[in-house]
């Protein structure tokens, strides 16, 4: 190496592809972790399913529902499930809670199609379910792909019927149709965002009529007869249901080299999974480690299962109560002494659409966990901007643990933007930075991530809590 080359090596922020830096043994670990993650993605396609999966993992690893504990001791592992859609988890540290918590927060809701309250109708011999999309989607991506129906129907007597249909090979599939190109001249002239309208997203669910000549809406009747036989419900019971349509295809390894993961709902269940796995390896920490799996991030974090709700504050107050530490206003102080990683996905540079990214400040697939010092849009509007002091602290942790990381922005200035739950925790006084797995085709029915980045995110979350 020439003098100049070695000086360059010393002074530049050299960005390297992670796959070029690892041993065969590390590659094995990355692939195994990737396979376990794919299993999770296929089992947990909604926030309720992800919360359930997480709860089972926690229970298997010695975590206990916090309501069963009157007193908490260092080393104790507890969780609280908020209305089946969101979870807060803690491993109690030896230091007093007052000295602050190490918090990691991801979200387990993903863009999808929800059913309307009165979804079922018949038109020209077909039965359909009307939908209302949830989160930022490109509507055309949701037509002509197999969809499955997940969720709950709750009867007035409190009975809750869990629905999961369209995933099993033997289940029927469901689809939203689209116009054939031969007759789509007018549609193709429209702007992409207007090509399919929200009211066109109607799920095709049947075509056999039931009843005699005098009966109207015979196909709808047949569907209700089937639903009644299978689930014991009537049309009215759909009023108190939460049914979500998600892509029915399976998450899988992507590429001849199997280096990537393709699958639905990776925003943000990829960070959620890495976070839970990291939490399982935390034993007797000095600072109390806390994990958040939140709901409703994709629609603004509102509501009692979203991050804006005070249920999380109540959970931390419970930790203080059960540690016998609580006193007036202590909660605020705990937050001011705490630090957090907001574990959410990052937009990776896509070479096909490179024009929306600024290369020096973009995250790349396979280059490690992606940090965003700030998010927001235009003049950093709505940004939660991490303080340089905190970024330095996190850098020190990453570099001493030899973790591959990159710090970038969501895209070019003025092109767009986004946000996460970071600002909500920052508003409480917590030091927060966004970091997570870079994604291609974010919010689509089949998102793409790199197994290398998933593993580095897991290692980051683990190092942070330890
Ligand atoms: Mn997200
Ligand atoms: Mn998102």
């Amino acid at each position: 190496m020439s003098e100049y080359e070695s000086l360059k090596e010393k002074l530049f922020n050299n960005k390297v592809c992670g796959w070029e830096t690892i041993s065969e043994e590390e590659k094995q670990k990355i692939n195994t972790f990737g396979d376990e993650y794919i299993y999770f993605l296929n089992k947990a396609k909604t926030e309720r399913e992800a919360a359930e999966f997480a709860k089972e993992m926690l229970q298997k690893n010695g975590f206990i529902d916090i309501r069963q504990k009157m007193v908490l001791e260092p080393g104790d592992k507890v969780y609280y499930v908020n209305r089946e859609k969101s979870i807060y988890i803690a491993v109690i540290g030896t230091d007093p809670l007052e000295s602050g918590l190490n918090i990691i927060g991801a979200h387990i809701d993903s863009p999808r199609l929800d059913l309307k309250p009165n979804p079922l109708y018949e038109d020209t011999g077909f039965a359909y379910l009307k939908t209302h999309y949830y989160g930022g989607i490109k509507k055309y991506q949701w037509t002509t792909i197999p969809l499955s129906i997940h969720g709950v129907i709750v009867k007035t007597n409190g009975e809750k019927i869990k629905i999961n249909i369209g995933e099993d090979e033997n289940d029927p599939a469901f689809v939203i149709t689209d116009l054939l190109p031969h007759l789509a001249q007018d549609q193709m002239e429209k702007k992409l965002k207007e090509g399919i309208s929200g009211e066109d997203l109607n799920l095709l669910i049947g075509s056999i009529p039931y009843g005699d000549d005098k009966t109207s809406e015979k196909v709808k009747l047949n569907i209700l007869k089937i639903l009644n036989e299978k689930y014991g419900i009537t049309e009215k019971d759909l009023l108190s249901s939460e049914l979500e349509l998600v892509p029915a295809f399976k998450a899988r390894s992507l590429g001849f080299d199997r280096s990537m993961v393709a699958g639905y709902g990776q925003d943000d269940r990829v960070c959620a999974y890495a976070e839970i796995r990291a939490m399982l390896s935390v034993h007797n920490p000095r600072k109390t480690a806390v994990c958040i799996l939140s709901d409703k991030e994709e629609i603004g974090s509102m509501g009692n299962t979203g991050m804006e709700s005070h249920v999380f504050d109540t959970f931390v107050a419970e930790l203080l109560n059960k540690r016998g530490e609580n006193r007036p206003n202590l909660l605020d102080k705990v937050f001011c002494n705490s630090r957090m990683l907001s574990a959410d996905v990052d937009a990776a540079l896509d070479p096909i659409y490179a024009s929306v990214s600024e290369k020096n400040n973009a995250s790349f697939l396979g280059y490690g966990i992606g940090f965003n010092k700030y998010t927001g849009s235009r003049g950093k509007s709505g940004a939660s901007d991490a303080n340089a002091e905190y970024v330095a602290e996190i850098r020190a942790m990453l570099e001493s643990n030899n973790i591959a990381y990159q710090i970038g922005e969501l895209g070019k200035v003025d092109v767009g933007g986004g946000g996460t739950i970071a600002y909500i925790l920052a508003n409480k006084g917590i030091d927060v930075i966004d970091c997570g797995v870079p994604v291609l085709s974010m919010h689509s029915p089949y998102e793409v991530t790199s197994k290398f980045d998933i593993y580095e995110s897991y290692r980051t979350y683990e190092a942070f809590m330890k």
Side-chain angles (χ1 to χ4, degrees):
M1 204 187 288
S2 76
E3 187 195 335
Y4 304 120
E5 284 301 313
S6 61
L7 190 62
K8 216 175 138 185
E9 172 113 353
K10 186 178 154 199
L11 297 181
F12 276 32
N13 174 16
N14 296 300
K15 296 172 183 174
V16 272
C17 171
W19 296 107
E20 294 191 70
T21 65
I22 52 169
S23 66
E24 209 35 59
E25 194 193 329
E26 285 167 314
K27 207 170 169 184
Q28 276 296 322
K29 281 189 194 166
I30 289 169
N31 283 329
T32 307
F33 195 90
D35 289 343
E36 289 159 351
Y37 164 58
I38 287 171
Y39 178 81
F40 163 75
L41 273 185
N42 287 328
K43 289 284 173 196
K45 290 196 172 184
T46 65
E47 64 283 19
R48 283 181 192 264
E49 289 170 0
E52 181 73 29
F53 192 102
K55 190 174 95 176
E56 279 170 22
M57 261 173 108
L58 292 168
Q59 286 172 341
K60 273 184 208 148
N61 286 275
F63 285 75
I64 294 167
D65 190 324
I66 191 168
R67 291 171 300 182
Q68 292 171 10
K69 284 269 200 184
M70 286 302 116
V71 176
L72 290 172
E73 302 293 345
D76 279 354
K77 299 176 173 190
V78 289
Y79 65 86
Y80 177 72
V81 182
N82 180 9
R83 294 173 172 87
E84 298 186 5
K85 297 174 182 176
S86 157
I87 305 192
Y88 318 117
I89 312 158
V91 180
I92 307 299
T94 46
D95 282 3
L97 296 166
E98 183 174 348
S99 69
L101 316 167
N102 285 332
I103 306 169
I104 304 183
H107 65 93
I108 49 176
D109 63 315
S110 297
R112 60 178 189 249
L113 306 178
D114 286 341
L115 291 196
K116 290 191 183 189
N118 299 287
L120 183 59
Y121 74 102
E122 176 176 337
D123 191 354
T124 329
F126 292 115
Y128 293 98
L129 293 171
K130 289 212 66 84
T131 70
H132 195 138
Y133 60 95
Y134 172 100
I137 63 163
K138 293 163 101 174
K139 289 169 213 139
Y140 69 87
Q141 293 179 335
W142 293 75
T143 63
T144 65
I145 59 167
L147 295 167
S148 56
I149 307 173
H150 299 234
V152 295
I153 301 169
V154 187
K155 294 207 210 174
T156 49
N157 65 5
E159 186 194 342
K160 192 182 292 183
I161 301 145
K162 280 192 190 170
I163 309 287
N164 181 326
I165 185 160
E167 293 292 333
D168 193 274
E169 288 296 307
N170 301 311
D171 285 350
F174 304 94
V175 75
I176 293 166
T177 54
D178 191 7
L179 207 47
L180 63 167
H182 317 64
L183 298 176
Q185 219 168 307
D186 288 347
Q187 184 194 37
M188 300 290 261
E189 292 297 329
K190 289 183 186 173
K191 283 185 182 166
L192 199 52
K193 70 173 184 181
E194 290 153 6
I196 304 287
S197 80
E199 294 296 348
D200 292 338
L201 294 173
N202 304 319
L203 190 72
L204 182 57
I205 58 164
S207 64
I208 298 179
Y210 183 79
D212 55 23
D213 288 350
K214 287 177 201 146
T215 316
S216 64
E217 299 182 280
K218 285 190 273 195
V219 182
K220 174 177 167 178
L221 178 62
N222 193 44
I223 292 292
L224 280 171
K225 185 171 168 283
I226 294 168
L227 293 179
N228 185 262
E229 281 160 8
K230 191 170 164 67
Y231 302 115
I233 58 156
T234 66
E235 185 178 15
K236 242 183 168 176
D237 291 321
L238 294 172
L239 293 170
S240 48
S241 72
E242 285 177 351
L243 295 172
E244 305 175 9
L245 310 185
V246 298
F249 29 64
K250 298 265 176 285
R252 319 162 68 152
S253 290
L254 177 70
F256 284 113
D257 57 10
R258 299 176 161 263
S259 58
M260 295 167 276
V261 175
Y264 163 73
Q266 300 202 65
D267 174 7
D268 180 36
R269 289 195 269 274
V270 64
C271 297
Y273 183 74
E275 168 188 307
I276 307 163
R277 284 289 301 269
M279 194 63 163
L280 296 184
S281 67
V282 178
H283 312 287
N284 301 303
R286 204 163 59 73
K287 298 248 183 198
T288 295
V290 171
C291 258
I292 300 166
L293 300 176
S294 75
D295 180 33
K296 299 287 185 281
E297 193 277 341
E298 295 295 356
I299 56 168
S301 295
M302 315 300 281
N304 60 13
T305 57
M307 203 61 239
E308 294 269 18
S309 96
H310 290 230
V311 181
F312 177 64
D313 300 23
T314 306
F315 175 75
V316 178
E318 276 294 273
L319 297 180
L320 288 168
N321 292 335
K322 293 183 176 184
R323 281 295 290 135
E325 273 188 48
N326 215 353
R327 54 173 203 273
N329 302 323
L330 185 59
L331 186 62
D332 293 335
K333 197 171 168 191
V334 171
F335 285 140
C336 288
N337 289 337
S338 295
R339 41 180 225 149
M340 180 190 183
L341 296 180
S342 165
D344 208 341
V345 294
D346 194 5
L349 180 138
D350 185 335
I352 301 175
Y353 304 101
S355 64
V356 300
S357 300
E358 188 264 290
K359 276 195 172 158
N360 291 319
N361 286 284
S363 285
F364 293 83
L365 227 66
Y367 281 65
I369 183 170
F371 280 77
N372 285 304
K373 186 176 179 295
Y374 47 83
T375 52
S377 52
R378 300 181 307 280
K380 295 195 178 181
S381 179
S384 170
D385 198 343
N387 300 302
E389 291 84 350
Y390 183 52
V391 181
E393 189 183 316
I394 296 298
R395 270 189 57 212
M397 174 197 84
L398 294 163
E399 286 167 23
S400 67
N401 283 284
N402 216 0
I403 293 168
Y405 73 96
Q406 39 191 338
I407 301 190
E409 292 194 345
L410 194 62
K412 270 185 183 166
V413 180
D414 286 339
V415 166
T420 66
I421 61 169
Y423 76 94
I424 302 163
L425 285 301
N427 285 349
K428 296 184 199 291
I430 303 171
D431 263 318
V432 187
I433 188 165
D434 277 305
C435 61
V437 177
V439 177
L440 296 177
S441 305
M442 197 194 289
H443 282 203
S444 78
Y446 220 47
E447 301 171 316
V448 174
T449 56
S450 163
K451 289 181 184 174
F452 177 79
D453 304 332
I454 298 170
Y455 196 68
E456 293 304 277
S457 299
Y458 158 67
R459 289 181 62 220
T460 301
Y461 303 152
E462 190 179 43
F464 180 79
M465 289 192 284
K466 284 183 172 171

